[in-house]
Amino acid sequence: MDIYEPLQQVSMWGDSFKVEGGLNSIASPMLLVNTTTSMENKSEYIPHEPSEPSEVNQETTNKDVSKVLRRLAQNREAARKSRLRKKAYVQQLETSRLKLMQLELEIGRARKQGMCTDNALDTTFMGSPETINPGIVAFEIEYGNWVDENHRRNEELRNVFQANASEVQLGQVVQNVLNHYTDLFRLKAEAAKADVLYLISGVWKPSVERLFLWIGGARPSQLLNLIVPQLDPLTEQQLASIKKLHLSSQQAEDALSQGLEKLQQSLVQDMAVDPFSATNHGFQMAIAIRKFEALESFVSQADHLRRETLIYMSRILSTHQAARGLIALGEYFHRLRTLGSRWTSRPCDSVISPRITP
Amino acid sequence: MEKVMRLATEKGVVIFTKSSCCLCYAVNVLFQEIGVYPVVHEIDKDPDGKEMEKAITKLGCNAPVPAVFIGGRLVGSTNEVMSLHLSGSLAPLLRPYRM
């Protein structure tokens, strides 16, 4: 009904709009139009004249008309006021928007100036979501490039392998792929210096890989589990060496995990606060931040394990076997990535629909 | 330096650590998993700690802690220990000192 529209529009335009009493009381008289005996019950502001029983119908009609006219006039008034308020609100929004743009420009300028000084990268970045860490931005770009290059090198390895190339040639390509993994660890070391918490969280990895995250990457023993089944036939000696490598890797992983747990516990103790004590929290925060830096050495050791596992594995295996192992490894990560994409783009039946169900 | 060498040769497996160093703790855990219980000296609790740290660095250890000595000889820090273990060379080195 027309009469209700101004009510709805008003409520959409924020707190500054109050529904006038007059609008509410417009509705009720309409219901009482046809009853002559209940004329006294009508709203105050509609004056009513006492009626003679014989002239009821004529006067009722006149009153109806005047009431309708009055209602229409009040509607127009209300609508006009609504429009004025809407205009004021929109102007307020526009001003805020301009202000926001100005602030963003200033922040951008200030950041650029901050980046020119040496300290900015190391000391001012506190990990808040609003700040941008150039070291991390660089890492994300470089990691993207690394993934593409890794795919390319694995394809090359697959082609050379299937082409039955000489052992020397195959060996070169195998070494090419191994060296590239070393490049990744170097990238990660630099990212750890920029923000170790970011790196250790694995947020830069595809979502499915994060399921298997261990100190900022894959578990070395898990990598071995992936590769070994692809390598039949293996000699007895190879099997024994691989078994030893697997065990050593697990023991080393275990030791690092326990060390990391101890670090976490001490961090919790540092930050546990007696709410009624007056201790200097700034001091505790400084200690905690030093421990974040200790995380860097854990990530470094974890990557060291990954690298050494790959290298020792390649020494145990023949060139041919090493090639197959690396191809399997590359394929595995490629599939994880694809799986991640499928998961992200799955149909959103399970997602809550924005439609309001009646 | 003498203190470091004296302590390093006192027992078969000696690790110099700092009480706050969790990586040192990890190395100790690894040794225990192999069945060895090293003697641990926390140099930050030692009055001569600063000189000991300098001496360890002079001996060629790339990180002052953890500094691992086996049979009186410096093996290295975490990197070296991990590499040795993965290559299978650590366990034989430690065999004479297993409990």
Side-chain angles (χ1 to χ4, degrees):
Chain A
M1 285 188 169
D2 281 356
I3 214 163
Y4 292 104
E5 267 186 336
L7 271 168
Q8 283 175 332
Q9 282 174 333
V10 160
S11 59
M12 270 161 43
W13 295 337
D15 297 335
S16 51
F17 296 87
K18 287 189 180 60
V19 177
E20 291 169 352
L23 288 173
N24 279 333
S25 40
I26 285 174
S28 41
M30 284 182 70
L31 302 170
L32 304 171
V33 157
N34 293 322
T35 18
T36 51
T37 49
S38 54
M39 271 200 219
E40 294 86 324
N41 297 335
K42 290 193 183 68
S43 312
E44 278 3 303
Y45 66 84
I46 300 175
H48 57 271
E49 295 114 41
S51 58
E52 303 280 329
S54 56
E55 293 176 313
V56 157
N57 288 338
Q58 180 61 39
E59 283 178 353
T60 313
T61 317
N62 285 340
K63 275 166 199 146
D64 291 343
V65 168
S66 66
K67 264 174 246 152
V68 167
L69 287 174
R70 202 152 295 161
R71 242 176 272 127
L72 287 174
Q74 278 153 358
N75 264 3
R76 276 195 297 276
E77 183 58 31
R80 193 180 72 86
K81 287 191 180 152
S82 277
R83 278 193 297 273
L84 284 172
R85 283 191 187 131
K86 181 180 180 181
K87 196 174 170 189
Y89 184 67
V90 168
Q91 270 178 346
Q92 201 186 25
L93 282 178
E94 292 281 357
T95 322
S96 302
R97 194 171 141 263
L98 284 170
K99 222 174 165 189
L100 183 64
M101 277 166 57
Q102 203 181 3
L103 281 171
E104 281 181 333
L105 270 171
E106 278 178 25
I107 289 176
R109 237 177 267 134
R111 258 196 219 127
K112 277 210 187 87
Q113 287 177 350
M115 285 204 282
C116 291
T117 65
D118 285 334
N119 306 344
L121 296 179
D122 292 328
T123 58
T124 60
F125 177 70
M126 297 297 276
S128 76
E130 287 82 30
T131 56
I132 296 174
N133 185 331
I136 296 303
V137 171
F139 171 74
E140 292 202 344
I141 296 171
E142 283 166 347
Y143 180 65
N145 293 340
W146 184 89
V147 168
D148 293 337
E149 178 63 19
N150 182 255
H151 188 69
R152 202 192 61 77
R153 291 197 194 195
N154 281 322
E155 285 296 298
E156 189 189 2
L157 181 59
R158 190 194 291 264
N159 291 335
V160 173
F161 180 80
Q162 283 169 337
N164 286 318
S166 71
E167 179 147 340
V168 170
Q169 250 186 319
L170 190 61
Q172 274 174 351
V173 187
V174 163
Q175 198 55 47
N176 214 15
V177 174
L178 280 173
N179 290 342
H180 198 230
Y181 281 109
T182 307
D183 289 345
L184 175 62
F185 300 132
R186 202 172 348 106
L187 278 181
K188 285 172 73 179
E190 281 168 27
K193 278 200 203 82
D195 184 359
V196 67
L197 292 180
Y198 166 92
L199 189 75
I200 212 171
S201 74
V203 63
W204 48 279
K205 276 181 167 283
S207 56
V208 180
E209 268 188 60
R210 268 176 259 154
L211 268 181
F212 311 105
L213 200 69
W214 176 78
I215 314 187
R219 253 180 206 275
S221 54
Q222 183 73 285
L223 294 179
L224 289 178
N225 289 341
L226 275 171
I227 298 174
V228 170
Q230 309 295 321
L231 301 176
D232 290 332
L234 288 164
T235 68
E236 285 296 314
Q237 195 177 18
Q238 282 180 323
L239 277 169
S241 300
I242 291 173
K243 200 167 167 198
K244 262 170 57 186
L245 179 60
H246 192 260
L247 179 62
S248 309
S249 184
Q250 278 184 321
Q251 286 170 333
E253 283 164 31
D254 211 30
L256 285 181
S257 295
Q258 287 190 44
L260 190 59
E261 245 180 67
K262 186 155 190 276
L263 184 62
Q264 286 170 341
Q265 276 167 23
S266 84
L267 263 170
V268 167
Q269 277 167 359
D270 284 346
M271 298 314 292
V273 165
D274 173 2
F276 300 107
S277 90
T279 37
N280 181 0
H281 302 316
F283 179 66
Q284 281 172 317
M285 299 247 178
I287 294 180
I289 287 189
R290 285 260 296 284
K291 293 192 180 162
F292 291 160
E293 290 160 2
L295 277 177
E296 254 186 75
S297 50
F298 273 95
V299 174
S300 163
Q301 286 305 316
D303 277 348
H304 180 69
L305 270 189
R306 291 173 190 121
R307 184 167 171 269
E308 300 271 284
T309 304
L310 284 176
I311 290 175
Y312 287 127
M313 198 52 181
S314 70
R315 285 188 203 162
I316 295 172
L317 302 174
S318 69
T319 312
H320 198 78
Q321 287 167 325
R324 273 173 68 188
L326 285 174
I327 293 170
L329 196 65
E331 179 62 26
Y332 169 75
F333 284 113
H334 184 69
R335 285 186 199 178
L336 279 190
R337 202 167 291 270
T338 313
L339 185 60
S341 306
R342 286 226 189 129
W343 170 255
T344 315
S345 57
R346 75 197 185 284
C348 291
D349 297 333
S350 51
V351 175
I352 295 169
S353 159
R355 272 179 291 124
I356 303 163
T357 44
Chain B
M1 176 62 85
E2 297 82 37
K3 186 164 186 179
V4 167
M5 292 318 295
R6 179 173 52 83
L7 291 170
T9 45
E10 248 173 14
K11 282 285 160 78
V13 188
V14 177
I15 309 183
F16 293 96
T17 67
K18 285 187 186 165
S19 53
S20 57
C21 172
C22 291
L23 208 52
C24 301
Y25 177 78
V27 168
N28 201 359
V29 165
L30 179 63
F31 275 76
Q32 288 179 29
E33 279 188 34
I34 307 175
V36 173
Y37 293 85
V39 170
V40 173
H41 294 291
E42 291 178 339
I43 63 175
D44 58 331
K45 298 277 171 72
D46 195 302
D48 300 319
K50 283 268 149 65
E51 283 82 43
M52 291 170 80
E53 197 173 323
K54 277 191 211 138
I56 292 168
T57 319
K58 234 173 158 187
L59 284 170
C61 200
N62 54 27
V65 291
V68 177
F69 288 79
I70 302 179
R73 278 180 29 239
L74 176 65
V75 163
S77 190
T78 326
N79 262 358
E80 287 75 33
V81 168
M82 292 291 175
S83 293
L84 274 177
H85 190 48
L86 282 185
S87 69
S89 316
L90 186 64
L93 262 182
L94 292 173
R95 202 166 291 130
Y97 310 107
R98 283 177 70 165
M99 292 289 167

